Amino acid sequence: MSHLINDAKWIWYKDITTENQHVDFRVPFSIKSKEKTFLHISSHSHYSVFVNDRPIYTAQYPDFETYKIFDSIDISSYVECGDNILTICGYCQNIDSFSCVKSTPGILFVVENDGAIIKKSDTHIKCRRSLDYFTG
């Protein structure tokens, strides 16, 4: 799977210094077939995934800055042929604690459909501070 994410970029909101920050990423994508559609994702800390406004998956990352872990999530049953919206809410504690080391926040992902990369994280992905959580 690591070959799929080689060209994806770590992304985050422009403010990388704020503590306890939730960031929403909104990613439109289109597919011709629902079969074999996967999201491959890694996060600095926590994330939640929604496809077409339906909650799909939430995870906390047990990895280290030098040892990143990726989840592969089958989203085939949540997508539609044609246009879809992937929403990712990422969280970064951004403060040292017993369960987190302060480091650069980020989300990295690839949407794969039938073996082809349909969408990947890059600087063109729209994001904002989440309106659903307090930041700071």
Side-chain angles (χ1 to χ4, degrees), residues 76-132:
S76 302
S77 61
Y78 301 97
V79 295
E80 302 295 333
C81 290
D83 296 337
N84 293 273
I85 298 290
L86 168 68
T87 305
I88 302 169
C89 179
Y91 170 73
C92 178
Q93 183 173 317
N94 216 11
I95 187 171
D96 288 334
S97 71
F98 70 94
S99 64
C100 183
V101 175
K102 184 176 181 174
S103 61
T104 305
I107 294 280
L108 178 82
F109 71 87
V110 167
V111 177
E112 174 192 8
N113 178 249
D114 202 21
I117 294 174
I118 301 301
K119 198 64 124 174
K120 61 186 174 186
S121 53
D122 64 26
T123 57
H124 297 96
I125 300 297
K126 294 185 179 190
C127 70
R128 68 175 184 193
R129 275 195 182 149
S130 179
L131 303 178
D132 297 320

Side-chain angles (χ1 to χ4, degrees), residues 25-30 49-54 56 75 78-80 82-88 111:
F25 300 88
R26 187 168 171 83
V27 185
F29 66 97
S30 295
V49 173
F50 303 81
V51 174
N52 298 324
D53 294 325
R54 293 168 44 198
I56 305 301
I75 61 173
Y78 301 97
V79 295
E80 302 295 333
D83 296 337
N84 293 273
I85 298 290
L86 168 68
T87 305
I88 302 169
V111 177

Side-chain angles (χ1 to χ4, degrees), residues 23-41:
V23 174
D24 294 331
F25 300 88
R26 187 168 171 83
V27 185
F29 66 97
S30 295
I31 55 174
K32 294 180 180 176
S33 167
K34 295 174 50 164
E35 305 304 314
K36 300 180 187 172
T37 305
F38 291 88
L39 171 66
H40 306 290
I41 184 169

